[in-house]
Amino acid sequence: MAFLNYVSLLSIFVCMTTVTGDHVTASLPAVKAAYWPSWAENFPPSAIDTKLFTHIYYAFLNPNNVTYKFDISNSTAVLLSDFTTSLHHKNPPVKTLFSIGGGGSDSSAFARMASHAQSRKAFIKSSIEVAREFGFDGLDLDWEFPKTPKEMQDLGHLFDEWRLAINAEAKATYRPPLLVTAAVYFSVDFFLDEVYRKYPVDSIHRNLDWINAMCFDYHGSWDNTTTGAHAALYDDKSNVSTSYGLKSWLLAGVPKTKLVMGLPLYGRSWKLKDPNIHGIGAPAVDVGPGVEGDKGVLPFSQVEEFNRVNGATVVYDVDSVSTYSYAGSAWIGYDDPTSTTVKIGFAQALGLRGYFFWAISFDSDWKISTQASRAWILND
């Protein structure tokens, strides 16, 4: 059923583009982006195959939680310079942005910064200075997550003032304006939380070049009693799915050309309660194998290694558009080239701007990245 939905949507989109001539979508190049973790060992920016991407994000920088300016150490300065120099001189070159925040950052510090005009001004000015000093093409905010309606309102003010400052700087220096993007929740609103809040869509529309919807981590160690497809395209039991999330952004008024779909290059694992019951939603007693410091999480490269070494059974689940494997009591849910291809088709059927990966160093010999790039064919 999920595959048929994808084919139907893709056919509709192709017809609409052909008949109406969607000049806005057709005139904008696709975004094929990925985040590069600055702590990735043995994976320097020079190792990135830029033929597969258009934009690479440096992850992450964080401002001082008192001054809200960026204090760049000598070692970080070397990393930033190497990042932009390497990627701008690759063949082909790619655009570079630095991402601010991340899942491990202090959400309350962003809330304090965004709540006052003076602290917003200091943050904005410093971010532009860092971007220009180290040769970045843009900036990205990954605030995970504004926790109240007031914080969402402040986020809208931040985007308004950031765009004004960027345009003013570009005009004064005769340079192209910096790109401004944001990594956001998979859905436009936090319908699962006790405190309901919604992103400032009007401000996003006015000020951002696009948003990166994080369409993953729907399930994990926090609900370790059952296995789950942590990046399911469809979920017939709930709205916790990529299809629901992306459509919620569009229905809220975010233009399709400003919406980019997130794809994971990692899996989440569980320990099965009964190895003989091993489907999605099977009873589990704990999280499963994972990398050091991140129990229950495996990069795609290690998922493939686990499957090979353990002779795991690999299953593609058509209904959720996801893949899982199991061996003994170990169970891993993830995306592979097949599920990624279907998701790419879904995003194109909606007319989205593109896709991004977290994180670029997790792939296995560029298998998923290559397939995604090849699959995105309509508006390159």
Side-chain angles (χ1 to χ4, degrees), residues 24-335:
V24 176
T25 303
S27 66
L28 291 173
V31 170
K32 301 178 179 181
Y35 285 77
W36 176 78
S38 58
W39 58 90
E41 296 181 2
N42 303 317
F43 196 87
S46 59
I48 296 173
D49 185 349
T50 56
K51 295 188 299 296
L52 306 176
F53 304 98
T54 59
H55 300 77
I56 303 294
Y57 291 85
Y58 177 102
F60 295 99
L61 291 179
N62 275 286
N64 184 293
N65 61 10
V66 176
T67 66
Y68 306 111
K69 299 178 181 180
F70 292 86
D71 302 323
I72 306 298
S73 67
N74 290 336
S75 59
T76 299
V78 170
L79 273 176
L80 295 174
S81 295
D82 179 63
F83 181 83
T84 55
T85 301
S86 295
L87 294 176
H88 286 159
H89 287 86
K90 294 275 284 186
N91 185 22
V94 293
K95 298 289 187 182
T96 59
L97 302 87
F98 69 86
S99 187
I100 302 163
S105 62
D106 183 1
S107 177
S108 62
F110 286 105
R112 292 193 302 273
M113 177 274 292
S115 64
H116 299 286
Q118 283 304 111
S119 51
R120 291 196 299 266
K121 182 177 180 180
F123 169 83
I124 289 167
K125 182 174 184 292
S126 183
S127 71
I128 295 172
E129 290 172 347
V130 170
R132 291 307 194 191
E133 179 179 356
F134 294 100
F136 283 89
D137 301 293
L139 314 102
D140 175 66
L141 180 64
D142 185 5
W143 176 359
E144 299 185 24
F145 294 100
K147 298 185 183 302
T148 66
K150 171 64 163 54
E151 290 183 14
M152 285 295 190
Q153 183 180 46
D154 292 339
L155 178 63
H157 296 323
L158 175 65
F159 288 153
D160 283 332
E161 294 164 15
W162 216 348
R163 173 54 66 189
L164 285 173
I166 282 173
N167 288 346
E169 187 272 347
K171 184 177 181 180
T173 60
Y174 301 99
R175 295 178 177 181
L178 295 165
L179 295 168
V180 188
T181 67
V184 296
Y185 193 54
F186 82 100
S187 169
V188 71
D189 57 356
F190 287 73
F191 61 92
L192 294 171
D193 291 5
E194 291 183 5
V195 179
Y196 176 85
R197 68 270 193 205
K198 181 179 179 180
Y199 277 94
V201 170
D202 289 344
S203 180
I204 288 172
H205 188 177
R206 287 193 303 270
N207 301 301
L208 300 189
D209 290 281
W210 65 80
I211 54 173
N212 293 328
M214 293 184 279
C215 301
F216 36 73
D217 289 347
Y218 304 147
H219 305 280
S221 59
W222 51 92
D223 55 1
N224 61 13
T225 58
T226 58
T227 63
H230 84 96
L233 180 58
Y234 301 107
D235 186 337
D236 59 8
K237 296 181 176 65
S238 77
N239 288 332
V240 185
S241 68
T242 295
S243 59
Y244 174 84
L246 294 175
K247 289 176 183 178
S248 77
W249 281 104
L250 297 175
L251 289 171
V254 171
K256 59 188 178 181
T257 53
K258 291 195 174 188
L259 183 57
V260 172
M261 174 183 66
L263 295 166
L265 284 172
Y266 63 95
R268 288 194 172 274
S269 66
W270 283 263
K271 182 179 180 180
L272 295 169
K273 182 177 181 179
D274 181 349
N276 295 311
I277 303 175
H278 41 63
I280 293 174
V285 294
D286 200 354
V287 293
V291 295
E292 183 178 354
D294 206 353
K295 190 178 179 184
V297 176
L298 282 172
F300 178 65
S301 58
Q302 292 189 26
V303 173
E304 287 215 315
E305 178 68 8
F306 172 89
N307 292 345
R308 184 186 64 80
V309 169
N310 294 280
T313 300
V314 177
V315 179
Y316 172 68
D317 185 71
V318 174
D319 291 334
S320 63
V321 185
S322 67
T323 304
Y324 64 89
S325 63
Y326 58 92
S329 62
W331 190 100
I332 309 170
Y334 58 98
D335 272 344

